[in-house]
Amino acid sequence: MIAVAKSKRNSNADLFSDVSVLRRKWQAALQPGRDLPFFDDVLLGSLGRLADHVMLIKDEGLQLKVSHAGRYVEQWLETEIRDTPFDAFPPDCALVLREAAASARQTGKPYLATAHCVRDGLVQIHDVFALPVASRWGGTMTSVYVNRRGLQYNLLDAVFSAAGDGVMSLATIRDANGLPADFQIVHLNQGAARLLRLPLDELRWQRLRAGAHALCSREIFDKLSAVINRAASEQFEVSDDVSTLKISAAPVGDMLALSLTDVTDMKRREQSFRLLFDSNPMPMWVFDVETRKFRNVNDAALNHYGYDRGAFLAMELQDLWPEDEREEHSRSLVGVGDVYDSGRNWRHLKADGSEIDVLTFGRRVSFEGRDSFLVSAVDITERRRAEARIAYMAHHDGLTNLPNRVMFQERLRNALERNHLANKSVAVLCIDLDLFKNVNDSFGHPVGDKLLMQVANRLAANVRDGNLVARLGGDEFAMILGAVTSPNEVSAQAAQVIEIVSAPYQIDDLEVVIGASIGIAIAPGDGRTAEELLRNADMALYRAKSDGGGVHHFFEKEMDRHAQRRRDMEIDLRHALANGEFELHYQPLVDLDQDRIVSFEALLRWRHPEKGMISPADFIPLSEDIGLIVPLGEWVLREACRQAVAWPPEVRVAVNLSAAQFRSRNLSQAVFTALALSGLSPRRLELEITESIFLADSEANLAILHQLREFGVRISMDDFGTGYSSLSYLRSFPFDKIKIDRSFVRDLAERPDSIAIVRAISGLGRSLNISTTAEGVETIDQLDRLRAEGCTEVQGFLFSAARPASDIAALLEKFGARASKAA
């Protein structure tokens, strides 16, 4: 590239004067009523020395050409101009010319641009002043003035001077034998002076052996000499009390080119990482992304997996994976980003061949210059076992191990959907044991429980594949028969069940004989939903029991006696709230550590003016079905708060909530209103919910619970362990209390697994800082066992049945400081 000749006058003042002269000439030549002045009025005449700096650009269709130009312009463009297109010019010149000409033509006014041109490593700055002018023969042209502004400067020097890293050049000084004896600094930038913490002028021309900075040690001299002798580049580090520098040395003949980088912060981060990694109690390792070989491992991982360090580091990542999971493991790592979260549990192999369940979390890191992943592993084996047990409990009956009502309903819904698509029928059999109450009354509950277990075994042994038998509660069982072909087939199956159940039982030294009654409903004729089928099968069962038992009955459309009673109760229910027929009774909850009553559970009672007290089991499900549960629940909230405000300030009141109240979306307001009207502190109100509220609109219901808890209201999980997935709900919401279902308490003395379950739930409560209440405590033995297992509160007939509000003061006085003993 040729150098542009210097203008005779290139001071900033002269440059701006030239531009000002041309701008004034352009303005003076602009005639009234015209958009642009004529070319000859602006540029012909007394341009003098400026003529060498001017070019004329013509627009020929899609191409711009320079028709003629002065000598200075030709030198700048490195081209002799004869109608020359822009493509013939250096790219940096062509770019700024296009910009200036386009802007001048678009605005219709002179436009000043700046060009930075690099020639032979030198940066030259030029003013490019474009003036749009008109031709007297029609059309528009652009005249452009070009001149260099200021002094040129060396681009490489400018880059090196501005760089944050240090750049140096060292000359080798050899001794009489031709060996390196010293090095002299012949060039450096400001970054190098800053990193060596000395002035630049003091360092330039200094010999390393005469200095006192980081490069002056014997160790560094030997490394630099080795670079010169081997004529090969090398990287190394030098540290002092303040910083660590990374030095890259490259030989250029007898010269050394050095770059200096401050890696102090990076070294500190590495040191912190190693401290966190090596001392972390959580198993951690680093593996290479490309090879998947282990590159580092901490002691916690070695101890947990049972390997020594050498054996572990000789392994690859897949050596931890069981054979049947390797392909899935590999797929999960494909395309992983900078952060990895397993999102599910994986199985890992320990050194002894045993398997553990783990969650893994990883982050991409650079380890010893290799793209790697830092991984931490959390062993969740014991947690998974507890979850599996609790999940099993949620779907199975604790006494018989048969599926419970929840699982039965799930399977029934699935069977209905599946057989509806196949146009087949599904039958539901509701089975009730005849004379079972007599067995319980005559021989006691332990014999009754053993009888239920034997009945369950007989029923389970005679269920065909694809069918299901469940215990719904008490002495009530149910069966699902899928893909039935005719009522006769169902009738034969029911008769066989009655025969099987009616055969004698040997329990201890007793021979026990019972019978069975069965109600049958067949879909789709007797109902298309699980609820309809169960309801109608239950109505058929009532008919079978009414006929003396030991028989089975199919549901019939005219079975309306039960429905009629239901309609009568519905009418009475609709008037009961307005007539003031409802009242609250309270059952105490006793804190085992404090030996005193800390709370009362509010229980709704209906005192019918003609029929007397009606069981909540009869009217509460009906009130839910007909939509009365929401106003009834709001009345319970208001009344419980109004009565509790008169109790001692340390005594709370617990109120049960139904799923319907959550669906109404007015629950929060109802609670706030009850508290405001009564003046009761929110911390004295405890709301008990069951898992049913999570089966639909769980996110909305959780939002309501969080709102209530933030207000100060306590939230309890009732009937824990009997529903769908208790453990998952404990993870979804920070409950204040979980109430262990009475079915587990009842079997404490006879069943070791009941003790184990209570122990697991109590331990879970302690781990999550949640208090645990055992329901249905009826004996001193149960109380002692619950106390030993760490339950914090108990409730049951051992202390008191539910009492009217008028008896609360007497109850509190009677228990006093001896609440842990039977009243």
Side-chain angles (χ1 to χ4, degrees), residues 273-284:
F273 164 77
R274 290 187 179 278
L275 181 63
L276 176 63
F277 179 83
D278 292 337
S279 304
N280 202 305
M282 182 178 295
M284 303 177 77

Side-chain angles (χ1 to χ4, degrees), residues 106 337 555 725 782:
Q106 183 178 356
F555 172 74
S725 186
Q782 290 173 345

